[in-house]
């Protein structure tokens, strides 16, 4: 038992130091390791398995809606990157450059892709000729590089894994629809699978993606009240098409520019899961993406029949489609309990000689430690139901945290007072002038998160300039 306590004690309590708690978890739950490549992380098997589960779910969604996966080069020639002015200005400060091939200096520098709009545009210019070629609904799963100065595992690293969708459409209407359809898929992924409630909305011009006409976002609230931008979808209009010459002939045989979108989610979602659901004992994983949904821990495993029964149960649950691990190692049950709590496994199944005698086992929920005695006869149904209840409970808990920490404010002083009490989101009206947004950010430290689709009327006027308000905006400190 000394081991179990030691393991838990090594996590800093989240109320004491949230940042340290986070760092402790990513190490102790065996999600990442560091290497001599600073600013990058090694995704260990447990983190990679979570990411693969997220990938499977979202890849299924986009395939079902007609998207196709491709693989683009990792390098972008400087001249290609320079073709769209706003885009290059936005990314230039954090681009990594390749200057040599072997010992030879390259004639042109190559950037390691920070995002691949330019490559997709060049490709689209080659393969799109007529209206019959549209739409093009491409996506790629890859890693990208942004030379960040301060990094944190999953949230901000110099290399990270993501998907980037890039689509080309005949009309503005089609492209706008795509942008919002994808945002809906991101919302579905976050809420239904990751149990993370989000606020859907549009970014202000100040916060939008470099080169985009409009950026849409899903914003989640972490346990400490800070925001995590969890997925973005951009509408480009025909700006990129004009810069790269992506044209098609329409049904009247007239030459037109395509309208484009791009959209992405990344491994920062794993950081979001940690900070939304985790507690002082470690991770708490949503069942849909948990690499192990049920861990079976035999009790008094040396007694005859216990391991056999545990193996039989594991088979039954696996056949029902559940992700199950039977831990028949020689560690003590107490050590195993602490270990799988740290790893956030949603359900623990305990089975010992007395349970077998009674035709039962015990299921223990990771989120509230609730123990339920379950008949082995309908174990599959009970387990599936309990996983559903678990997912609903952690979603509701996160939703209460989000909804309980959005406070209306009528002036800057109120915003400061709210933040003094507890970090959270502030909702306030805004005139639409970038200067007022800037003032709020400088005075309170909160950039705007989004103009939510669900608008409320808090006031008639902008809290900064007193001019008539146009929108309600959510402000918040962000990761
Ligand atoms: Zn104003």
């Amino acid at each position: 038992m000394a081991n179990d306590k030691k393991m838990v004690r090594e996590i800093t309590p989240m109320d004491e130091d949230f940042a340290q708690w986070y760092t402790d978890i990513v190490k102790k739950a065996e999600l990442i390791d560091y290497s001599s490549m600073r600013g990058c992380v090694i995704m260990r098997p447990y983190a990679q398995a979570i990411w693969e589960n997220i990938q499977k779910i979202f890849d299924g969604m986009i395939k079902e809606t007609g998207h196709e996966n491709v693989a683009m080069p990792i390098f972008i020639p400087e001249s290609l990157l320079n073709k769209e002015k706003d885009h290059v200005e936005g990314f230039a400060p954090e681009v990594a450059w390749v200057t040599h091939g072997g010992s030879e200096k390259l004639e042109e520098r190559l950037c390691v892709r920070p995002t691949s709009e330019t490559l997709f545009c060049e490709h689209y210019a080659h393969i799109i000729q007529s209206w019959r070629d549209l739409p093009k609904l491409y996506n790629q799963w890859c890693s990208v590089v942004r030379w960040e100065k301060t990094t944190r595992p999953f949230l901000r690293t110099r290399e990270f894994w993501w998907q980037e969708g890039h689509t080309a459409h005949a009309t503005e209407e089609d492209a706008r629809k795509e942008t919002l359809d994808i945002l809906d898929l991101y919302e579905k992924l976050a809420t239904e699978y990751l149990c993370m409630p989000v606020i859907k909305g549009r970014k202000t011009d100040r916060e939008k993606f470099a080169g985009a006409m409009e950026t849409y976002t899903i914003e989640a609230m972490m346990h400490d009240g800070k925001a995590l931008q969890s997925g973005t979808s951009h509408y480009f209009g025909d700006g990129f098409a004009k810069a790269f010459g992506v044209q098609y002939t329409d049904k009247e045989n007239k030459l037109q520019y395509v309208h484009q979108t791009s959209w992405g989610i990344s491994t920062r979602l794993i950081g979001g899961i940690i900070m939304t659901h985790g507690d002082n004992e470690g991770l708490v994983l949503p069942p849909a993406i948990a690499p192990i949904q049920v861990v079976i821990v035999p009790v008094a495993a040396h007694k005859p029949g216990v391991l056999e029964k545990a193996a039989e149960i594991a088979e039954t649950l696996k056949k029902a489609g559940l992700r199950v691990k039977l831990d028949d190692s020689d560690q003590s049950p107490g050590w195993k309990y602490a270990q799988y709590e740290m790893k956030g496994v949603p359900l623990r199944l305990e089975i010992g000689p007395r349970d077998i005698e009674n035709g039962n086992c015990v299921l223990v929920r990771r989120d509230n430690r609730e123990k339920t005695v379950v008949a082995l006869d309908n174990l599959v149904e009970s387990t599936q139901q309990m996983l559903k209840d678990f997912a609903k409970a952690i979603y509701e808990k996160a939703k209460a945290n989000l909804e309980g920490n959005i406070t209306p404010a009528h002036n800057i002083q109120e915003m400061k007072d709210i933040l003094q009490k507890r970090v959270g989101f502030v909702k306030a009206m805004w005139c639409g002038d970038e200067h007022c947004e800037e003032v709020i950010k400088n005075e309170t430290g909160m950039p705007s998160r989004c103009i939510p689709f669900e608008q409320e009327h808090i006031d008639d006027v902008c809290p900064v300039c007193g001019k008539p308000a146009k929108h309600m905006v959510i402000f918040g400190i962000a990761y």
Side-chain angles (χ1 to χ4, degrees):
M1 289 304 275
N3 259 348
D4 332 335
K5 281 189 189 142
K6 189 168 167 248
M7 183 164 200
V8 172
R9 216 177 25 228
E10 280 174 19
I11 303 192
T12 307
M14 56 162 72
D15 291 334
E16 204 173 281
D17 184 345
F18 194 77
Q20 190 56 46
W21 167 83
Y22 179 83
T23 308
D24 289 349
I25 283 197
V26 295
K27 284 288 281 182
K28 297 290 284 183
E30 298 177 345
L31 294 172
I32 66 124
D33 189 26
Y34 299 100
S35 70
S36 48
M37 181 52 229
R38 282 207 350 242
C40 295
V41 292
I42 294 165
M43 296 247 287
R44 300 186 65 185
Y46 201 57
Q48 187 61 26
I50 293 171
W51 180 234
E52 283 174 11
N53 286 334
I54 295 172
Q55 281 185 303
K56 262 180 242 161
I57 294 164
F58 190 69
D59 202 61
M61 287 183 188
I62 57 173
K63 296 266 173 69
E64 210 172 68
T65 45
H67 298 80
E68 298 172 286
N69 284 335
V70 296
M72 287 282 169
I74 192 174
F75 304 115
I76 306 172
E78 186 166 19
S79 54
L80 188 68
L81 190 73
N82 284 344
K83 276 196 170 180
E84 214 284 340
K85 198 178 124 287
D86 291 340
H87 186 65
V88 69
E89 274 174 14
F91 280 99
E94 51 189 37
V95 159
W97 293 103
V98 175
T99 55
H100 286 75
S103 58
E104 263 172 61
K105 191 165 187 287
L106 300 176
E107 275 179 33
E108 181 181 15
R109 293 197 296 176
L110 306 174
C111 104
V112 185
R113 65 181 167 211
T115 177
S116 307
E117 274 74 12
T118 51
L119 288 165
F120 275 91
C121 284
E122 185 185 46
H123 180 49
Y124 282 153
H126 297 160
I127 63 167
I128 294 171
Q129 272 92 38
S130 118
W131 60 272
R132 290 187 189 83
D133 300 323
L134 295 169
K136 281 278 177 282
L137 309 175
Y138 285 179
N139 175 69
Q140 76 169 339
W141 293 94
C142 64
S143 72
V144 289
V145 169
R146 295 178 188 175
W147 213 256
E148 305 278 2
K149 292 202 176 67
T150 51
T151 59
R152 294 186 76 186
F154 301 120
L155 302 174
R156 206 168 286 282
T157 48
R158 286 182 175 167
E159 182 186 16
F160 60 89
W161 285 264
W162 77 344
Q163 62 70 216
E164 48 177 322
H166 297 266
T167 67
H169 306 260
T171 64
E172 171 174 348
E173 192 190 354
D174 289 352
R176 284 187 179 279
K177 182 173 183 304
E178 168 80 3
T179 314
L180 294 177
D181 284 351
I182 292 293
L183 194 72
D184 286 343
L185 293 185
Y186 285 159
E187 181 190 34
K188 188 180 165 79
L189 174 73
T191 57
E192 289 180 26
Y193 296 89
L194 309 183
C195 307
M196 273 167 63
V198 291
I199 296 175
K200 256 194 325 185
R202 180 164 65 82
K203 289 278 182 191
T204 61
D205 283 352
R206 191 180 183 282
E207 299 292 331
K208 74 183 181 187
F209 182 81
M213 284 186 73
E214 279 155 25
T215 289
Y216 296 89
T217 179
I218 52 168
E219 298 282 326
M221 185 188 282
M222 302 296 97
H223 195 82
D224 62 350
K226 289 191 193 166
L228 189 79
Q229 179 180 299
S230 304
T232 47
S233 185
H234 317 289
Y235 170 65
F236 287 129
D238 57 6
F240 273 91
K242 282 181 174 156
F244 288 83
V246 191
Q247 285 179 296
Y248 70 99
T249 46
D250 67 13
K251 287 177 184 170
E252 278 78 49
N253 220 23
K254 276 202 299 211
L255 211 50
Q256 305 282 3
Y257 286 105
V258 299
H259 293 257
Q260 286 173 273
T261 81
S262 84
W263 28 275
I265 48 167
S266 73
T267 39
R268 89 187 316 230
L269 282 174
I270 299 174
I273 291 165
I274 299 169
M275 292 192 291
T276 301
H277 303 302
D279 64 21
N280 284 337
E281 272 69 52
L283 279 177
V284 175
L285 291 181
I289 54 90
I292 306 165
Q293 294 169 314
V294 185
V295 61
I296 301 175
V297 179
V299 181
H302 59 281
K303 295 266 173 78
V306 173
L307 276 182
E308 288 78 0
K309 194 71 192 174
E312 187 191 312
I313 289 172
E315 268 322 294
T316 308
L317 293 177
K318 275 182 199 167
K319 267 190 202 139
L322 294 164
R323 294 189 287 274
V324 181
K325 180 182 165 111
L326 165 60
D327 189 343
D328 54 6
S329 71
D330 61 359
Q331 297 281 9
S332 72
W335 185 91
K336 292 176 187 173
Y337 296 169
Q339 165 82 353
Y340 295 105
E341 283 190 2
M342 177 70 74
K343 292 198 150 196
V345 176
L347 295 182
R348 178 172 83 227
L349 189 155
E350 301 169 8
I351 180 114
R354 200 173 306 154
D355 304 307
I356 296 171
E357 223 174 85
N358 297 332
N360 293 333
C361 68
V362 178
L363 283 175
V364 187
R365 266 169 62 162
R366 169 63 182 87
D367 61 329
N368 58 11
R369 314 289 195 293
E370 209 173 84
K371 288 188 173 198
T372 312
V373 176
V374 171
L376 291 176
D377 285 343
N378 53 7
L379 180 62
V380 169
E381 293 77 10
S382 309
T383 308
Q384 282 166 338
Q385 187 57 47
M386 210 171 279
L387 286 171
K388 270 187 209 159
D389 296 345
F390 178 94
K392 189 164 185 286
I394 62 170
Y395 175 77
E396 291 299 335
K397 193 177 164 203
K399 195 164 175 238
N401 181 51
L402 173 68
E403 287 174 355
N405 286 299
I406 310 177
T407 317
H410 301 85
N411 54 58
I412 290 185
Q413 190 53 47
E414 267 184 34
M415 292 181 185
K416 288 181 182 168
D417 293 344
I418 291 162
L419 282 186
Q420 278 286 311
K421 267 186 229 147
R422 191 197 189 285
V423 173
F425 293 175
V426 169
K427 49 186 176 185
M429 304 309 286
W430 179 49
C431 62
D433 187 338
E434 219 167 291
H435 173 72
C436 294
E437 186 185 358
E438 189 104 27
V439 169
I440 293 174
K441 191 189 172 204
N442 293 341
E443 296 262 324
T444 68
M446 291 186 297
S448 73
R449 303 313 314 153
C450 69
I451 304 167
F453 290 162
E454 274 182 44
Q455 284 282 306
E456 291 167 50
H457 182 86
I458 293 168
D459 219 334
D460 293 330
V461 294
C462 172
V464 181
C465 65
K467 286 183 189 150
K470 278 189 189 151
H471 315 281
M472 180 191 83
V473 176
I474 301 271
F475 294 88
I477 298 170
Y479 278 99

